[in-house]
Amino acid sequence: MTRQGPEGWESLVEAASEEVAGVARQARQAARAAIPDATEELDVSARLLAFTFVPGTYKGLVAGLVLHTRHVNLMFGEGAELAATHAAGALLEGTGKKARHIKLTAPEDLQDPRIAELLKAAAVRVRERLAGQ
């Protein structure tokens, strides 16, 4: 993972459309509020702002924001497990073995309280996994 501070994220956001930039900024605030003890790291090539408990690797990844042309994906590194076990898991999209995401197209999408619930639940899962290693 490329280590860059949040200022690198803002450069990516500024290059996005006004709509995507607004969603990205709101999503970052939501993630920071839900998991304030996570470290933010930027992977420039993936256009990913990661919220992690183990900087420098994806090992401690809780969630990430990925910029796309018309939306922002709120990605959960252990989303498949959340989708199967958490009441709000129905929000998660994708078919990968581990990761799932929520496609955000408007800042209002983040008003759904289930998103904060999923972020907090993801943080608990990652903490528990790391504690068991």
Side-chain angles (χ1 to χ4, degrees), residues 71-96:
H71 67 277
V72 175
N73 275 349
L74 173 55
M75 186 268 295
F76 293 82
E78 297 185 11
E81 197 171 315
L82 282 173
T85 61
H86 196 279
L91 290 175
L92 297 166
E93 301 177 35
T95 58

Side-chain angles (χ1 to χ4, degrees), residues 34-120:
I35 42 176
D37 55 332
T39 299
E40 290 183 332
E41 274 197 320
L42 181 62
D43 184 333
V44 176
S45 62
R47 299 171 53 93
L48 166 73
L49 180 63
F51 296 86
T52 183
F53 294 136
V54 183
T57 176
Y58 284 108
K59 179 179 174 180
L61 179 68
V62 176
L65 302 175
V66 183
L67 294 177
H68 292 273
T69 305
R70 292 191 169 93
H71 67 277
V72 175
N73 275 349
L74 173 55
M75 186 268 295
F76 293 82
E78 297 185 11
E81 197 171 315
L82 282 173
T85 61
H86 196 279
L91 290 175
L92 297 166
E93 301 177 35
T95 58
K97 286 183 182 180
K98 288 193 162 259
R100 295 286 189 278
H101 67 276
I102 299 171
K103 186 184 291 188
L104 305 169
T105 58
E108 298 78 36
D109 294 344
L110 291 150
Q111 293 175 2
D112 187 332
R114 297 175 299 171
I115 292 175
E117 290 173 23
L118 284 169
L119 284 164
K120 290 174 185 175

Side-chain angles (χ1 to χ4, degrees), residues 4-42:
Q4 283 195 15
E7 61 279 353
W9 172 251
E10 193 55 36
S11 295
L12 286 176
V13 169
E14 288 174 1
S17 69
E18 188 174 322
E19 294 82 12
V20 169
V23 172
R25 289 185 180 107
Q26 289 288 331
R28 180 178 181 207
Q29 287 178 356
R32 290 175 74 183
I35 42 176
D37 55 332
T39 299
E40 290 183 332
E41 274 197 320
L42 181 62

